[in-house]
Amino acid sequence: MTALADATLEQVDALAALTETLVEVERTISRLQAARDGILAVGSRLALQVAEQAEHPDHGEMSARTVAAEFAAALRISDRTVQRRMADATWLVERFPLVWEAQGEGRISAAHARVVCEAGEHLDDAASRAAYSAQMIAFAETEAPSGVARMARRVAERFQPRSIDERHRDARKKRSLWVKDVGDGMSQLGMLGPSALVHGAFDRLTQMARSMQQHEPEQQPQQEQEQEQGQEQEQEQEQEQEARERVQKQEQRPGQEREQQPGRGQAHADPRTLAQLRADLAFDLLLTGAPLGHDRPGGSLAAIRGSVSITVPVTTLMGVDTTPAELNGRVPIDPVTARRLAGAASGWDRVLTHPVTGALLAVDRYRPGPDLRRHLRARDQRCRFPTCGYPPADCDIDHHHDAALGGVTAESNLGHLCRRHHMLKHHSPWTVEPMGDGVYAWTSPSGTTYIDRAPRQNTVTFAEEDEGREGREGVGAGVITAPPF
């Protein structure tokens, strides 16, 4: 294989021109990203100036939220995301101005700037940061970000006046846990914590997973009898495992058959991969284990059980349709999982929707409960500030017209707002006006109005057939349509 050895001179020249153009485009992108950071930093500074002039007791937090909401509504993205970007941009521009200028000139990329700043995050002295920045910029102009990151950590350590113990105490304050939805009914669970604990937890899960791969303990007859009387879900899992074992046996070559087939009283390997076992064990421990290091007398923390909200069309539950269910009003999940969760649920909210438009009509429940709250949860599905996606479980129910001033406690005057946007509504120039049918008009401090509509219900709607269409039997046949996610 000769790759490009047979290319003509014209083709080689074309490749060189493409490479040169690509390099220039990347430099332009870096310049624009630096310009965006400058704009966001100015927005932060403007919010702080307003707060200082008015002597706000929150030191500009509400002003920053107000500015971020203005930017976010115009950009159609989350204002939390914008405020984080504003904070990051201010940190870059004010603490590492040389790095920001180098990116603005196209000498380094945003990836280079990020690793340089992250490695020098704990350099408190301005002179040390400037000297560190100058040294790393020169190095970054000819190296990839991965190489720059390694060198930056070494160089930053030379300028670091604080011990690793002091810095670790500060870093521990940033420990956190977060969820990111990735589609196909799957989500990521991320964690930031002390390295010793994170690696220790990972190693424990790895050892447990390898033990399950190598051996499964013998089951006593009484245990087998209890398992036969177990839930249908466990039986289905056993059948699936046996099917996988049969496939594996059929795929083995003639000289590779096992001397013994797994049976009663014998060990057999778990077919799951090491990564799959780690994940399954982690969920098992998180959802069923007790926090022994933090629990209160009486085990009140151990008694807490995780819960999720599932919205699933009745046709999907019946197995006659494949419209995905939704988790917490935002993440599609597969029908099999939805039916299993539905079968184990202790109570149901029934969401009645219009068969043609899909609009929410009513919410009721077999067991008595706060009907209005359930109706609002089913209608809103999230915080009703534009671009916010917080689920109702994490929100307050807000009276749009203050109840103390005569606002009624009715569906037309109530809506879900997360605590952040609830505070924004009451303590900033942002205003909201209900327009009816779950539609809200938000007006920003600059006078721009943004319309927020409730998410479409996860339901199946029916459209009448064209009069000239033939080929269906019966009267009143319709076409099933599912709303897009």
Side-chain angles (χ1 to χ4, degrees):
M1 184 174 180
T2 57
L4 294 181
D6 297 326
T8 65
L9 291 176
E10 291 79 4
Q11 291 171 327
V12 172
D13 291 341
L15 178 59
L18 285 173
T19 304
E20 183 178 350
T21 302
L22 180 61
V23 170
E24 189 58 37
V25 168
E26 288 294 329
R27 287 175 178 168
T28 302
I29 292 174
S30 296
R31 296 188 188 103
L32 291 174
Q33 288 174 325
R36 181 184 62 184
D37 287 337
I39 294 171
L40 293 173
V42 171
S44 294
R45 194 170 301 169
L46 175 64
L48 185 60
Q49 288 176 352
V50 172
E52 290 176 346
Q53 291 171 0
E55 298 182 353
H56 290 176
D58 64 353
H59 305 290
E61 173 62 23
M62 191 57 62
S63 296
R65 292 185 182 186
T66 304
V67 172
E70 180 81 39
F71 288 165
L75 295 172
R76 300 187 300 281
I77 59 178
S78 168
D79 59 319
R80 290 180 175 85
T81 299
V82 172
Q83 190 169 359
R84 285 195 298 269
R85 290 180 181 176
M86 289 169 61
D88 292 342
T90 301
W91 180 72
L92 169 64
V93 172
E94 295 183 354
R95 290 182 63 86
F96 295 92
L98 295 180
V99 177
W100 176 58
E101 292 173 3
Q103 181 185 342
E105 295 169 356
R107 296 162 57 194
I108 61 175
S109 68
H112 290 95
R114 183 177 63 255
V115 297
V116 170
C117 294
E118 287 177 351
E121 177 180 5
H122 296 288
L123 297 178
D124 296 326
D125 181 66
S128 297
R129 287 198 304 271
Y132 161 77
S133 298
Q135 184 172 342
M136 288 311 306
I137 290 170
F139 181 80
E141 289 180 353
T142 58
E143 296 290 335
S146 58
V148 172
R150 289 190 295 270
M151 179 60 70
R153 288 191 291 268
R154 300 172 187 169
V155 174
E157 197 65 32
R158 301 174 194 163
F159 290 95
Q160 183 56 258
R162 305 174 65 205
S163 67
I164 183 63
D165 291 334
E166 295 174 325
R167 283 144 47 200
H168 180 66
R169 280 196 295 270
D170 290 343
R172 283 179 66 94
K173 298 176 183 178
K174 298 181 180 179
R175 60 190 184 275
S176 61
L177 194 73
W178 63 91
V179 173
K180 179 182 179 182
D181 300 322
V182 296
D184 295 331
M186 302 292 284
S187 300
Q188 294 177 349
L189 181 66
M191 176 187 293
L192 175 65
S195 298
L197 297 182
V198 172
H199 284 274
F202 187 82
D203 181 69
R204 187 187 182 207
L205 290 170
T206 299
Q207 292 185 50
M208 295 169 72
R210 285 176 175 163
S211 177
M212 291 187 65
Q213 280 188 327
Q214 296 167 2
H215 177 264
E216 280 197 4
E218 180 180 354
Q219 291 187 342
Q220 300 298 327
Q222 180 180 0
Q223 293 175 317
E224 293 178 352
Q225 182 178 3
E226 292 177 353
Q227 186 173 12
E228 291 175 356
Q229 298 174 351
Q231 298 179 352
E232 182 179 355
Q233 179 179 353
E234 296 176 353
Q235 295 174 355
E236 292 176 356
Q237 291 176 349
E238 291 176 0
Q239 293 172 0
E240 293 174 358
Q241 182 173 334
E242 292 173 0
R244 286 194 295 266
E245 291 175 356
R246 288 196 297 269
V247 172
Q248 290 176 350
K249 179 180 177 181
Q250 294 173 358
E251 293 177 349
Q252 287 178 338
R253 295 180 181 178
Q256 294 179 330
E257 289 85 355
R258 297 176 183 173
E259 296 180 0
Q260 290 183 337
Q261 295 297 328
R264 183 182 299 273
Q266 297 180 352
H268 64 277
D270 194 297
R272 290 171 289 183
T273 66
L274 191 64
Q276 291 170 343
L277 281 169
R278 283 196 198 103
D280 294 344
L281 288 166
F283 290 133
D284 195 1
L285 291 170
L286 286 172
L287 293 173
T288 65
L292 299 179
H294 296 80
D295 211 351
R296 308 183 185 98
S300 59
L301 289 181
I304 296 175
R305 293 292 179 262
S307 63
V308 294
S309 174
I310 304 296
T311 306
V312 52
V314 67
T315 51
T316 300
L317 282 180
M318 294 166 60
V320 300
D321 188 57
T322 58
T323 300
E326 280 186 354
L327 176 70
N328 292 335
R330 57 196 297 184
V331 183
I333 62 173
D334 61 285
V336 174
T337 300
R339 283 193 286 268
R340 288 178 177 174
L341 291 173
S346 59
W348 279 80
D349 286 333
R350 184 177 64 175
V351 181
L352 303 179
T353 58
H354 194 282
V356 176
T357 65
L360 177 67
L361 298 178
V363 178
D364 62 9
R365 192 174 187 179
Y366 175 73
R367 296 182 180 181
D371 294 343
L372 184 56
R373 286 178 175 270
R374 295 199 302 273
H375 182 93
L376 293 170
R377 284 199 302 268
R379 183 197 70 184
D380 292 342
Q381 304 179 52
R382 60 169 174 80
C383 168
R384 295 306 308 276
F385 184 82
T387 75
C388 186
Y390 266 42
D394 297 331
C395 295
D396 304 325
I397 295 180
D398 173 62
H399 284 76
H400 305 313
H401 295 295
D402 197 338
L405 301 177
V408 296
T409 303
E411 181 268 344
S412 60
N413 190 44
L414 296 175
H416 283 89
L417 292 178
C418 68
R419 186 57 56 86
R420 174 190 180 91
H421 295 123
H422 199 171
M423 295 288 291
L424 192 73
K425 170 181 172 288
H426 289 289
H427 299 285
S428 82
W430 278 90
T431 60
V432 60
E433 185 69 25
M435 308 297 289
D437 296 327
V439 179
Y440 295 106
W442 285 83
T443 303
S444 74
S446 66
T448 306
T449 298
Y450 300 93
I451 302 299
D452 184 72
R453 294 178 171 83
R456 296 185 63 179
Q457 297 297 318
N458 183 43
T459 185
V460 175
T461 60
F462 296 86
E464 294 184 357
E465 289 183 314
D466 296 337
E467 294 182 359
R469 183 180 299 178
E470 298 180 356
R472 289 183 183 265
E473 297 180 357
V475 179
V479 179
I480 299 177
T481 61
F485 289 100

